Structures are given as C-alpha cells and as structure tokens.
Amino acid sequence: DIAADVRDAVDKGWREGARFSPDAALFEAVRAQSVDHAIMEKADRIALVPVDMDWSDVGSWEALYDASPRDEQGNAVSGEALVLDASGCLIRSEGLLVTAIGVQDLVIVATRDAVLVVPRNDSQRVRDAVALLAEQGDSRL
C-alpha cells in the first residue's frame, strides 16, 4: 500500500526544470513506516554482509554538509550561487541566485517557495520553524 500510494503521488507530480515534486497532498497522506518494519521484518530471505564503512542517513543539514564536496573555503554549493568571502556554508538553490557575502558556517537553502538561513550548528532548529508554520496553518507544509 505504501508503494502504491507513493506511485500515485509521483504519477500526479510535476516537473519544473530539473526539479521534480510529487503531489504534496498525496505524498503527505502516504502511511509512514520504516523500511525495517514494512519490509525487512516480513522478509523470509535476507542476507547480511559484514562491512566496515562510515554511514550517515543524511538526516540533517549538518549531515548533508558533511557528505557534500566542498570548495577551498569549505563551502558546499549546489545550484546557482555567488559566494564572496564566505566559509563553511551549505548553500543550495533550486532556481534562485543565492548570494553569500562575508558569512560563515550557515545553511542557506532557497526553494521554489521558501528560503532558509540558519547557523549550521543550529540547523536542527528547522523543526521548530516547521512546527510554528504548522501551528499557523501554513499551506506549504
């Protein structure tokens, strides 16, 4: 049922340039369940292979910064950006030109409908902003 619901959200999604978005209402309605519970606990044919490697589920902006290639100043940039005298920043743009001048250790994310600017070491507070937007009934969630 999860796969069918995700497929439906994807089928009714839209593309804008290189960006694809599933239908937000349908995707939000998909039942949330971890892969462990939904699949692995029910599988009767599982193989495990021991491995020694680093792992991150890239579940935070800080983890994404850590996993991203960086320039000489330690900036991880994706999308259109102009960076002058900035260091240690994660900058992602999905269309807008982001200009970062003289800043350090920030997460700057520009999407089609919102811009996020937060100190990298405080990026977990994004959930506080999401909770406030939900409380206010913001339609972008």
Side-chain angles (χ1 to χ4, degrees):
D1 67 316
I2 293 172
D5 290 345
V6 169
R7 209 172 291 114
D8 192 31
V10 168
D11 289 346
K12 293 183 174 103
W14 54 273
R15 182 170 303 284
E16 184 178 309
R19 180 182 180 190
F20 174 80
S21 297
D23 180 278
L26 292 174
F27 195 75
E28 187 175 324
V30 173
R31 181 169 59 88
Q33 188 174 22
S34 71
V35 170
D36 298 7
H37 295 294
I39 297 171
M40 298 306 290
E41 288 182 358
K42 295 172 178 69
D44 57 3
R45 294 176 50 197
I46 298 173
L48 300 175
V49 178
V51 65
D52 181 18
M53 64 179 195
D54 291 333
W55 169 257
S56 173
D57 64 6
V58 191
S60 68
W61 291 114
E62 186 70 25
L64 182 59
Y65 173 81
D66 290 341
S68 298
R70 294 185 286 281
D71 65 16
E72 305 80 38
Q73 290 74 40
N75 298 303
V77 179
S78 174
E80 194 173 3
L82 176 63
V83 182
L84 299 170
D85 300 322
S87 63
C89 294
L90 172 66
I91 303 170
R92 297 182 64 85
S93 175
E94 296 179 359
L96 294 174
L97 169 63
V98 172
T99 302
I101 303 172
V103 295
Q104 295 179 327
D105 302 321
L106 293 178
V107 171
I108 305 170
V109 180
T111 66
R112 180 178 51 85
D113 58 356
V115 176
L116 168 70
V117 179
V118 62
R120 258 194 24 241
N121 65 357
D122 239 2
S123 63
Q124 73 281 357
R125 294 200 54 214
V126 169
R127 64 181 58 127
D128 297 340
V130 169
L132 182 58
L133 288 170
E135 196 177 289
Q136 295 173 350
D138 194 291
S139 63
R140 288 169 286 204
L141 295 181

